[in-house]
């Protein structure tokens, strides 16, 4: 029996501790969630987790919108050189990729919450900061270099 002054330790939620082992050294396979309907199976998670997932999705959408708007702005408001057109095109394409990635991530996270599985890894988080930094360096070079 714990001492009366000791604080009880909370056990971590089952869905945060990882998949349950089926045999020693093996784990259950994780099924891919449906892209547009993560609600097909599982049970309703704590609303705070669902709302946090939604806020993250919306933040990714804002990033996608900013990338797309930046590309359209460069295409519409600058002189038309091949380098600037390429930068504009890459920004718009990166915006599209970010929007689609956000949808996939939202769906996979919502599915994982509902079936009490570990949350998916953020793969795009390793790529996106470098892509944005590279594009920002290119944009800076295009601003500094004289136009035609």
């Amino acid at each position: 029996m714990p001492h009366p002054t000791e604080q009880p330790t909370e056990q971590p939620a089952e869905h945060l501790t990882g998949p349950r082992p089926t045999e020693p050294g093996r784990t259950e396979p994780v099924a891919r969630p449906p892209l547009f309907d993560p609600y097909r199976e599982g049970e309703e998670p704590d609303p705070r987790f669902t709302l946090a997932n939604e806020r993250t999705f919306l933040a990714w959408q804002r990033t996608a919108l900013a990338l797309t708007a930046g590309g359209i702005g460069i295409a519409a408001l600058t002189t038309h050189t091949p380098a600037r057109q390429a930068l504009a095109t890459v920004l718009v394409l990166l915006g599209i990729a970010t929007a689609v990635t956000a949808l996939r991530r939202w769906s996979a996270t919502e599915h994982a919450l509902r079936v009490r599985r570990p949350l998916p890894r953020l793969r795009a988080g390793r790529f996106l900061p470098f892509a944005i930094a590279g594009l920002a360096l290119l944009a800076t070079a295009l601003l500094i270099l004289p136009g035609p």
Side-chain angles (χ1 to χ4, degrees):
M1 179 169 234
H3 190 273
T5 59
E6 289 180 17
Q7 294 291 333
T9 58
E10 289 187 30
Q11 296 296 322
E14 180 181 309
H15 68 280
L16 299 177
T17 59
R20 291 187 187 146
T22 54
E23 298 176 13
R26 299 196 66 173
T27 57
E28 296 175 11
V30 177
R32 292 193 83 103
L35 180 59
F36 298 110
D37 189 13
Y39 305 109
R40 287 189 189 165
E41 61 182 337
E43 57 190 46
E44 192 66 28
D46 185 331
R48 294 174 294 180
F49 297 129
T50 296
L51 293 172
N53 187 31
E54 183 178 317
R55 285 190 302 273
T56 303
F57 170 75
L58 293 173
W60 278 81
Q61 291 302 322
R62 286 189 301 272
T63 302
L65 183 60
L67 290 167
T68 304
I72 291 170
I74 288 172
L77 303 174
T78 63
T79 57
H80 295 281
T81 64
R84 290 182 185 194
Q85 290 301 105
L87 176 63
T89 302
V90 170
L91 281 170
V92 170
L93 291 174
L94 189 57
I96 292 168
T98 302
V100 172
T101 299
L103 177 61
R104 293 189 61 166
R105 175 131 178 99
W106 167 82
S107 180
T109 301
E110 189 65 28
H111 183 260
L113 289 170
R114 296 182 67 80
V115 296
R116 298 185 178 268
R117 294 282 184 220
L119 298 179
R121 292 183 180 190
L122 178 60
R123 294 184 183 120
R126 296 181 210 154
F127 168 74
L128 189 61
F130 294 109
I132 292 172
L135 290 172
L137 286 172
L138 179 60
T140 302
L142 291 175
L143 289 173
I144 293 172
L145 297 174

